Amino acid sequence: MDSLRRWMDEKGVRKVKLGAIDVDGVFRGKYVSLEKFYSAAKSNMGFCDVVFGWDLGDELLDNTKVTGWHTGYPDTPAKVDLSTARIIPWEPDTAAFLLDFVNPDGTPFEASPRQLLQKMGQRARKLGFLPKFGAEYEFFLFKEGPQSLHEKGFKNLTPLTPGMFGYSWLRTSMNAPLVHALIDGCNAYGLNIEGFHTETGPGVFEAAIRYDTLELAADRAALFKTVVKEICAKHGVSACFMAKVDPKLPGCSGHVHQSLWNLKGEDNLFHDPSQKHGMSKLMRHYIGGQVALMPELTALYWPTINSYKRSVENTWAPTTATWGLENRTCAIRVIGDSGKSMRIEYRQLGADMNAYIGMAVSLAAGLWGIENEIEPPAPVLSNAYEAKNTKPLPRNLKDAVALLKNSERAREILGEGFVDHFVRTREWEVRQYERAVTSWELERYLELI
């Protein structure tokens, strides 16, 4: 506590922001006084568990077990993770810390995505592996604020830049104040941006966050979306991480690079120069597990109704459970040919992923493949959209949730408590969509039918 107080004093901290990522990947938090923070740092603080009992729009779920009217929506204990200390660059007198939800007896709260991620990290280390992960996001930027988004009904939005211009030197320079604010702000916040460029599409950008050990990589990826939204708001811009914004344009990915190293972090266990393509047996089995479980775990990777609109042939997003060497039409792309670079790029994940869940689940599937020595199918050497004898991925959230709900292997590797809660939240999401009358239906049927 003494060193913490000294750090806070040296940084001129006058207030603290505490928060956690919910199941939908939304950062929920609040400001607290220094007195309140120091008290919470010594022992757990209470945080209303309604964050596990409502949806993106704060509408209360009617089917949850972990909380609800039947429990009275009590406070649940939340532990401050002091290792996540950050100064918010655009609020320089404010420190930020992540929270971990726990049960009253101190055990992990099973419904918490960050706790799931930590659990998978511990499991990997028990098996003798140090997971190293890194995320990259694609996202749209619009010259809109929250008010104009709602006034326009989220239609006819003005993109930051016009036209299709991927890897544009010009577009980034034209918007240098915002681009530099994003890169510098993320770096100052500890998110370590490794690359930043335009993608193909009006106002579309991509950022790659530097890889690190699983837990650090997941925190950075989970925080990234909120950080981008905060910085963009100061420039009169809104950031969108939907999987598919426009049916005529490619979707937004959230690819995650993955590798397993020895516990000292010195040797990449995915690389074996004596094996075909330099892929170790460990790597083959890791991919084998991921490919085998991909369809039944898809709801965890693609958690929204919109997620499935991205999975369209010839749009850079996978439609089948496949893998290949440097093949961007596959769900898993093997990259590299050396101990430094050998890794997989998990391409099924979209920008709308919950980073904790996406990373935890793909790691769990890979570890399951290693433990059961699952050999992958043959790599796809051409266009995976045209490949034969491949497993199709679910085409909508309802079907994906049904597969997950009936998956004994998902409950085995992730835990009954987490899977049960997640399934309930997605079943709720499906029901809300089924009740909705969309603009497509109105335009299609209102006048003519």
Side-chain angles (χ1 to χ4, degrees):
M1 289 300 297
D2 289 339
S3 62
L4 176 63
R5 286 179 184 273
R6 283 196 301 272
W7 180 79
M8 301 275 274
D9 289 341
E10 290 170 2
K11 298 295 184 181
V13 173
R14 299 173 59 191
K15 64 185 78 73
V16 177
K17 208 170 186 181
L18 303 173
I21 306 293
D22 68 13
V23 170
D24 285 296
V26 177
F27 201 11
R28 306 278 187 174
K30 57 185 176 181
Y31 291 99
V32 298
S33 67
L34 290 180
E35 180 183 7
K36 175 72 172 177
F37 168 73
Y38 288 126
S39 172
K42 288 181 180 178
S43 59
N44 296 338
M45 64 179 287
F47 201 108
C48 184
D49 75 357
V50 74
V51 296
F52 292 98
W54 62 21
D55 64 11
L56 278 166
D58 290 4
E59 189 168 347
L60 296 173
L61 309 181
D62 61 7
N63 61 344
T64 55
K65 283 186 176 180
V66 297
T67 191
W69 294 118
H70 61 288
T71 66
Y73 295 105
D75 279 355
T76 191
K79 180 180 179 181
V80 181
D81 185 342
L82 299 179
S83 72
T84 64
R86 289 174 166 83
I87 299 298
I88 303 177
W90 45 96
E91 299 179 45
D93 66 345
T94 306
F97 295 82
L98 291 173
L99 296 172
D100 279 321
F101 294 101
V102 295
N103 295 313
D105 62 0
T107 56
F109 187 68
E110 280 193 294
S112 167
R114 190 167 190 257
Q115 297 284 47
L116 176 71
L117 187 281
Q118 292 171 356
K119 176 182 172 183
M120 292 304 109
Q122 292 166 4
R123 181 178 169 204
R125 287 171 175 81
K126 286 181 180 178
L127 293 172
F129 311 131
L130 178 68
K132 292 189 180 184
F133 278 49
E136 52 189 33
Y137 284 103
E138 296 171 354
F139 49 96
F140 280 77
L141 297 182
F142 296 104
K143 293 180 181 179
E144 309 286 350
Q147 196 68 31
S148 66
L149 287 174
H150 284 264
E151 288 174 352
K152 290 184 173 182
F154 301 93
K155 295 180 179 179
N156 302 315
L157 305 179
T158 304
L160 181 65
T161 60
M164 311 289 280
F165 206 163
Y167 298 102
S168 170
W169 183 290
L170 177 63
R171 292 287 190 243
T172 48
S173 295
M174 289 169 61
N175 293 280
L178 174 57
V179 170
H180 286 220
L182 286 168
I183 295 172
D184 296 342
C186 285
N187 286 337
Y189 203 55
L191 304 190
N192 305 104
I193 299 301
E194 199 168 49
F196 192 98
H197 61 88
T198 63
E199 259 295 347
T200 182
V204 186
F205 290 79
E206 178 174 345
I209 307 168
R210 190 183 189 280
Y211 75 91
D212 211 313
T213 55
L214 173 73
E215 293 79 3
L216 288 174
D219 281 345
R220 291 168 184 167
L223 291 172
F224 177 79
K225 288 197 275 190
T226 297
V227 167
V228 169
K229 290 175 185 289
E230 289 183 63
I231 295 173
C232 282
K234 296 182 180 298
H235 292 257
V237 172
S238 289
C240 170
F241 290 85
M242 282 177 62
K244 192 80 167 182
V245 178
D246 188 322
K248 298 174 184 168
L249 298 172
C252 292
S253 70
H255 300 157
V256 173
H257 294 249
Q258 312 176 8
S259 56
L260 297 181
W261 295 61
N262 68 344
L263 292 177
K264 291 183 178 181
E266 297 170 341
D267 298 318
N268 185 349
L269 303 180
F270 274 6
H271 182 245
D272 184 346
S274 69
Q275 297 295 310
K276 190 175 182 180
H277 308 303
M279 293 173 53
S280 68
K281 181 171 72 172
L282 187 86
M283 185 181 192
R284 291 202 318 272
H285 292 160
Y286 187 89
I287 293 172
Q290 290 184 326
V291 171
L293 300 186
M294 197 177 289
E296 62 200 83
L297 299 180
T298 286
L300 294 150
Y301 302 136
W302 291 344
T304 73
I305 295 292
N306 181 254
S307 300
Y308 300 80
K309 306 296 174 69
R310 170 176 160 261
S311 177
V312 178
E313 291 183 356
N314 304 317
T315 59
W316 306 101
T319 58
T320 55
T322 50
W323 74 281
L325 303 165
E326 282 289 4
N327 190 336
R328 285 184 168 88
T329 67
C330 296
I332 296 173
R333 170 187 168 220
V334 172
I335 305 172
D337 56 4
S338 70
K340 181 180 179 180
S341 62
M342 199 80 186
R343 65 194 186 277
I344 71 162
E345 179 188 51
Y346 203 90
R347 295 177 58 82
Q348 184 183 12
L349 292 163
D352 59 347
M353 70 169 173
N354 181 317
Y356 290 122
I357 296 175
M359 291 187 180
V361 174
S362 56
L363 173 61
L367 295 178
W368 176 83
I370 291 171
E371 290 177 299
N372 292 278
E373 299 186 347
I374 305 297
E375 287 291 339
V380 176
L381 303 178
S382 56
N383 186 350
Y385 299 118
E386 299 176 352
K388 307 297 183 183
N389 302 316
T390 58
K391 292 182 182 178
L393 297 174
R395 303 306 309 138
N396 57 68
L397 183 59
K398 186 173 185 177
D399 290 347
V401 171
L403 285 175
L404 177 62
K405 187 174 185 177
N406 294 320
S407 172
E408 294 182 5
R409 292 181 292 195
R411 297 172 191 276
E412 171 194 333
I413 64 176
L414 304 175
E416 173 67 33
F418 179 82
V419 173
D420 178 75
H421 179 69
F422 186 85
V423 165
R424 291 172 183 273
T425 66
R426 297 311 96 184
E427 288 180 332
W428 163 272
E429 192 77 4
V430 169
R431 282 191 284 127
Q432 304 320 295
Y433 176 68
E434 290 177 338
R435 295 171 182 171
V437 177
T438 65
S439 59
W440 183 89
E441 292 169 278
L442 294 175
E443 292 167 6
R444 187 84 168 177
Y445 303 126
L446 190 148
E447 179 188 5
L448 301 177
I449 202 163

